[in-house]
């Protein structure tokens, strides 16, 4: 296919229930100059048959079949076959709005961008609810940057709060090739190092405020599973830390980086199956000093969300997983108790203030009424 504007890489693994939604949203894009590279990652269900059915209808679809190697390996394989000016990644259980690539390509092309970011929506597969959070709405990036060209130096204060997902961005192909961008294979949470590698290596990033991607929240997805594969977060965060140090950003952004490490470790921990938590805690302690977690500043710690503070303090004060679990619950309860006690005191003060105002109003009304009655009798 000549003149491909956007190459779409779609890793596919046992998603027969959802694959039609994804492919329908791709073949019906208003931008027709796209290629759809579907990497069948060793599926054992009917996913391959569905891909072949769609390929028979649309010659823009390429199917590459490989042994199962995981999401990163499938994405990397797909990238090897891309011919488009820009590259997009979509998970095969998700889908996009029909004008997505027309909007993204035209804007990215007009400003010669390396990366274009956009908000996305969560879709709850059980309830059908569509919603956003601070994370996927990208509201941490000030609106003054909307449709403007910027780089990471302009958004340092929110750098570690930006969605690091690969699917809510498109990338210039030549840019990815020049920095040898790839996904870490054999590990979950592969989007973290990919995001920082790409984001820190360009001066041509922009954002548009259009929610074009629907991310399906379902049982069995990588982000909702709590298996031993989650242990890979420590390798991912090690790669992330090394990148920060290579870019000479570690010392400058140390406290934000340490909070980011804790937030990600906590994110994985609370989703873990109970039987893996003791081993996971041992890995936390093993990496404690390598991750410089002993260097969290006490004053900065006070600014953290109370659950993140509780998680960090529990690591610091515990010697094993059982002790950590008890400490975490205890400290969370203490924070909650203090919070509600403070809230209760504030409400009590507010009630006292309102009561005082109410009494003043009553007295004023009574005085006015008395004056009116007195004036009536005078007449």
């Amino acid at each position: 296919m000549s003149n491909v504007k956007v190459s779409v890489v779609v890793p596919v693994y046992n998603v027969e229930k959802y694959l039609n939604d994804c492919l329908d949203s791709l073949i019906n894009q208003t931008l027709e100059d796209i290629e759809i590279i579907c990497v069948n990652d060793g599926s054992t269900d009917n996913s391959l048959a569905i891909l072949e059915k769609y390929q028979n209808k649309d010659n823009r679809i390429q199917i590459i079949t490989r042994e199962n190697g995981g999401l990163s390996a499938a994405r990397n394989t797909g990238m090897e076959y891309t011919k488009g000016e820009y590259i997009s990644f979509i998970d095969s259980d998700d889908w996009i709005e029909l004008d997505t690539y027309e909007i993204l390509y035209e804007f990215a092309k007009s400003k010669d961008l390396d990366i274009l970011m956009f908000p996305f929506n969560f879709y709850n597969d059980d309830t059908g609810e569509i919603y956003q959070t601070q994370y996927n709405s990208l509201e941490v990036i000030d609106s003054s940057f909307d449709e403007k060209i910027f780089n990471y130096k302009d958004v340092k204060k929110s750098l570690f709060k930006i969605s690091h997902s690969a699917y809510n961005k498109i990338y210039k192909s030549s840019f990815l090739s020049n920095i040898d961008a790839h996904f870490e294979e054999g590990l979950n949470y592969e989007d973290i190092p990919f995001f920082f590698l790409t984001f820190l290596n360009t001066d041509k990033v922009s954002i548009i405020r259009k929610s074009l991607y629907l991310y399906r929240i379902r049982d069995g997805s990588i982000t909702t599973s709590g298996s031993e594969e989650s242990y890979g977060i420590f390798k991912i965060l090690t790669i992330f830390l090394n990148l920060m140090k290579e870019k000479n950003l570690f010392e400058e952004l140390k406290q934000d980086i340490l909070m980011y490490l804790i937030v990600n470790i906590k994110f994985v921990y609370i989703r873990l199956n109970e039987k893996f938590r003791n081993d996971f805690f041992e890995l936390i302690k093993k990496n404690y000093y390598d991750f410089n977690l002993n260097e969290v500043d006490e004053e900065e710690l006070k600014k953290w969300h109370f659950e993140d503070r509780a998680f960090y303090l529990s690591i610091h004060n515990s010697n094993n997983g059982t002790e950590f679990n008890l400490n975490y619950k205890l400290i969370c309860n203490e924070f909650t108790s203090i919070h509600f006690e403070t809230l209760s005191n504030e409400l009590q003060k507010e009630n006292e203030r309102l009561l005082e105002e109410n009494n003043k109003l009553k007295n004023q009304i009574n005085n006015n009424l008395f004056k009116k009655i007195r004036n009536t009798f005078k007449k």
Side-chain angles (χ1 to χ4, degrees):
M1 180 186 297
S2 60
N3 194 32
V4 177
K5 293 177 178 176
V6 179
S7 297
V8 189
V9 176
V10 189
V12 177
Y13 178 70
N14 290 353
V15 283
E16 60 181 2
K17 183 178 177 181
Y18 312 106
L19 189 53
N20 288 290
D21 289 342
C22 178
L23 295 175
D24 283 338
S25 75
L26 293 177
I27 65 173
N28 291 303
Q29 285 292 303
T30 54
L31 179 67
E32 296 182 353
D33 301 326
I34 66 173
E35 61 177 1
I36 305 164
I37 301 173
C38 299
V39 183
N40 174 36
D41 192 35
S43 295
T44 57
D45 65 355
N46 291 319
S47 293
L48 179 57
I50 294 171
L51 290 176
E52 290 171 342
K53 180 184 73 173
Y54 275 83
Q55 187 183 46
N56 289 333
K57 294 191 297 183
D58 195 321
N59 62 10
R60 295 174 299 172
I61 293 178
Q62 300 179 52
I63 303 173
I64 303 161
T65 296
R66 52 162 293 148
E67 292 183 2
N68 180 254
L71 179 61
S72 293
R75 283 177 174 172
N76 288 338
T77 297
M79 287 171 67
E80 293 174 8
Y81 289 82
T82 58
K83 299 182 180 68
E85 293 177 65
Y86 283 85
I87 294 179
S88 168
F89 301 96
I90 179 168
D91 291 350
S92 50
D93 51 352
D94 302 334
W95 72 99
I96 57 175
E97 301 293 346
L98 298 184
D99 56 355
T100 295
Y101 293 130
E102 181 178 0
I103 292 170
L104 297 179
Y105 176 80
E106 289 183 357
F107 186 80
K109 181 73 172 177
S110 69
K111 294 188 178 293
D112 191 31
L113 299 174
D114 289 333
I115 304 173
L116 176 58
M117 304 187 293
F118 53 95
F120 65 98
N121 291 322
F122 286 124
Y123 171 79
N124 188 307
D125 198 47
D126 291 328
T127 65
E129 180 189 7
I130 295 175
Y131 62 97
Q132 284 191 336
T133 65
Q134 184 184 57
Y135 174 78
N136 60 315
S137 67
L138 292 178
E139 65 183 62
V140 295
I141 300 178
D142 190 83
S143 59
S144 63
F145 291 104
D146 289 6
E147 302 187 10
K148 304 289 194 309
I149 299 177
F150 61 93
N151 62 36
Y152 80 90
K153 295 174 185 176
D154 300 313
V155 292
K156 278 185 183 178
K157 290 183 179 179
S158 54
L159 180 60
F160 304 107
K161 298 176 182 178
I162 298 172
S163 162
H164 49 247
S165 303
Y167 43 74
N168 70 324
K169 303 168 184 71
I170 64 168
Y171 305 86
K172 183 186 282 187
S173 299
S174 58
F175 163 66
L176 294 184
S177 178
N178 288 339
I179 65 170
D180 190 27
H182 62 279
F183 294 90
E184 298 295 331
E185 299 191 11
L187 298 170
N188 291 343
Y189 312 106
E190 64 288 320
D191 285 354
I192 293 175
F194 188 85
F195 167 72
F196 286 103
L197 175 65
T198 55
F199 200 74
L200 298 179
N201 276 291
T202 178
D203 290 321
K204 295 187 290 185
V205 182
S206 191
I207 178 174
I208 57 172
R209 300 287 174 175
K210 295 181 183 294
S211 299
L212 302 169
Y213 190 103
L214 288 104
Y215 180 91
R216 191 188 304 267
I217 302 291
R218 63 180 177 89
D219 291 337
S221 65
I222 290 174
T223 52
T224 58
S225 62
S227 67
E228 290 174 282
E229 292 178 354
S230 298
Y231 295 174
I233 188 64
F234 295 101
K235 291 182 179 178
I236 288 292
L237 293 177
T238 298
I239 296 167
F240 157 74
L241 271 177
N242 289 338
L243 183 60
M244 291 295 110
K245 292 172 182 177
E246 287 171 11
K247 292 292 180 180
N248 297 316
L249 291 171
F250 180 75
E251 290 301 326
E252 178 186 355
L253 305 175
K254 181 188 289 185
Q255 294 305 316
D256 288 333
I257 288 171
L258 296 180
M259 182 173 69
Y260 181 77
L261 294 174
I262 288 295
V263 167
N264 278 279
I265 293 170
K266 181 177 72 103
F267 176 86
V268 177
Y269 178 85
I270 62 178
R271 286 161 178 77
L272 270 180
N273 187 297
E274 290 280 349
K275 65 182 179 181
F276 299 125
R277 288 189 170 180
N278 283 342
D279 289 341
F280 191 82
F281 176 78
E282 292 301 319
L283 290 172
I284 297 176
K285 295 296 279 189
K286 180 180 178 181
N287 288 278
Y288 188 80
Y289 291 101
D290 289 340
F291 284 3
N292 302 93
L293 293 176
N294 58 309
E295 298 179 27
V296 172
D297 182 83
E298 289 186 12
E299 291 303 312
E300 290 296 321
L301 183 61
K302 293 176 183 177
K303 302 175 186 177
W304 293 16
H305 186 278
F306 84 91
E307 286 187 359
D308 299 331
R309 270 186 287 159
F311 192 84
Y312 173 74
L313 291 172
S314 300
I315 295 170
H316 188 74
N317 297 330
S318 304
N319 295 311
N320 56 63
T322 302
E323 196 174 284
F324 168 81
N325 194 40
L326 291 172
N327 279 331
Y328 184 43
K329 290 179 180 178
L330 176 64
I331 296 175
C332 278
N333 288 340
E334 286 177 352
F335 278 135
T336 304
S337 176
I338 292 170
H339 170 73
F340 281 111
E341 182 180 357
T342 303
L343 185 61
S344 177
N345 291 336
E346 290 176 354
L347 287 173
Q348 185 175 347
K349 289 179 182 178
E350 178 67 7
N351 286 338
E352 290 173 356
R353 186 187 66 79
L354 290 172
L355 182 61
E356 184 179 349
E357 286 189 6
N358 190 41
N359 288 333
K360 286 180 180 178
L361 186 60
K362 282 183 179 179
N363 290 333
Q364 185 179 357
I365 291 172
N366 288 335
N367 289 335
N368 290 338
L369 182 62
F370 176 76
K371 289 179 181 178
K372 187 175 182 180
I373 293 172
R374 187 178 62 184
N375 291 335
T376 302
F377 277 110
K378 280 184 178 180
K379 292 178 182 179

